[in-house]
Amino acid sequence: MTVTTYSATQKTLHWLIALLIVGVYLLTFGEDFYPRGDPMRATIWWLHISFGLTLLGLVLARIALRLTRGTPALPPEMTPVERGASHAVHFGLYALMLAIPLVGVALTWLRGDTLSFFGLFTIPSPVTADRELGRSVRGVHDLGANLILVLAALHAAAALWHHFIRRDNVLTRMLPGRGGNRQPGLAD
C-alpha cells in the first residue's frame, strides 16, 4: 500500500525532536546568566547532556520507524532539482541529528566528565581526558548545532513555500491530526 501521510507517531516524533533541538540549543545560553562557579551552570550542562541523549534516542526511533513504515512520496509536480534539494536537506538533518549528540558524548568524555542521563544512570569516560582535543571537538559540536538550525530553517521555509505558494499537502501531512488519507492496515 502507498503511504500518503505520516503516522501519528511519526508526526509526534517530528515535532518533539524539533522542540528538543531548539530547547537543547537554547540551554547552551543559560549558563551566561550565572557567574563562574555557580552550581546552576553545571545543572544547565547536565540538562543539556540529558536532553541531548533523549534527542539521540528519539532520532534513532524516528529512523527505525521511517525505515519500517516509509514516508509519503513527494508531489509529482516537483522538479528533479527540487527533489534532490529535498533529499539533501533531509539527509543533512538526519546526519546532524545523529552526529551532534554523538560528538557531544565524545566532548563530555574528553573533558573527563561522566555522562549522566537525568541522574538515572551514568557512564564514566572510557578515554583519558584531553582538554585540547576537547576544544576542537567542541568546535565541531558547535558548528553542527549552528548548521542544523540553518538546515531546519530551510526545511521550514520549504514547507511553508509548499503550503502557501504551491498549495500542496507537503506541510499538512506532517501536521497533527491532518494530512492525506490514512491507509488501512498501516500501523502508527
Side-chain angles (χ1 to χ4, degrees):
M1 287 192 184
T2 303
V3 176
T4 60
T5 188
Y6 292 94
S7 71
T9 304
Q10 286 172 306
K11 292 175 186 183
T12 300
L13 286 171
H14 175 274
W15 294 107
L16 188 55
I17 288 168
L19 286 172
L20 272 171
I21 288 170
V22 172
V24 169
Y25 187 88
L26 291 175
L27 266 172
T28 63
F29 298 103
E31 75 173 350
D32 294 338
F33 294 107
Y34 301 96
R36 283 199 177 275
D38 190 304
M40 274 306 293
R41 289 173 70 105
T43 300
I44 287 167
W45 284 110
W46 176 76
L47 288 170
H48 178 85
I49 291 165
S50 295
F51 281 118
L53 290 171
T54 302
L55 177 62
L56 179 60
L58 292 176
V59 169
L60 290 171
R62 183 161 178 210
I63 290 170
L65 190 55
R66 183 182 181 103
L67 292 173
T68 57
R69 186 185 189 281
T71 60
L74 294 172
E77 56 275 355
M78 285 179 66
T79 68
V81 171
E82 291 170 330
R83 288 173 180 279
S86 173
H87 292 306
V89 169
H90 279 96
F91 177 81
L93 285 168
Y94 277 103
L96 288 168
M97 286 187 295
L98 289 172
I100 294 167
L102 293 173
V103 170
V105 168
L107 173 59
T108 300
W109 286 340
L110 286 169
R111 289 180 170 173
D113 294 334
T114 298
L115 198 62
S116 174
F117 181 71
F118 294 110
L120 298 174
F121 65 85
T122 59
I123 305 171
S125 176
V127 299
T128 305
D130 184 338
R131 295 216 177 249
E132 189 169 323
L133 179 57
R135 279 191 277 286
S136 297
V137 170
R138 174 155 186 179
V140 171
H141 187 66
D142 292 349
L143 177 64
N146 290 325
L147 185 55
I148 201 168
L149 292 181
V150 170
L151 286 181
L154 282 171
H155 178 68
L160 292 172
W161 181 78
H162 275 278
H163 189 70
F164 292 109
I165 306 298
R166 274 270 171 92
R167 298 192 183 277
D168 59 27
N169 73 339
V170 167
L171 175 62
T172 58
R173 63 190 186 177
M174 186 51 87
L175 294 177
R178 299 179 176 218
N181 300 324
R182 296 178 62 95
Q183 296 296 317
L186 290 179
D188 286 339

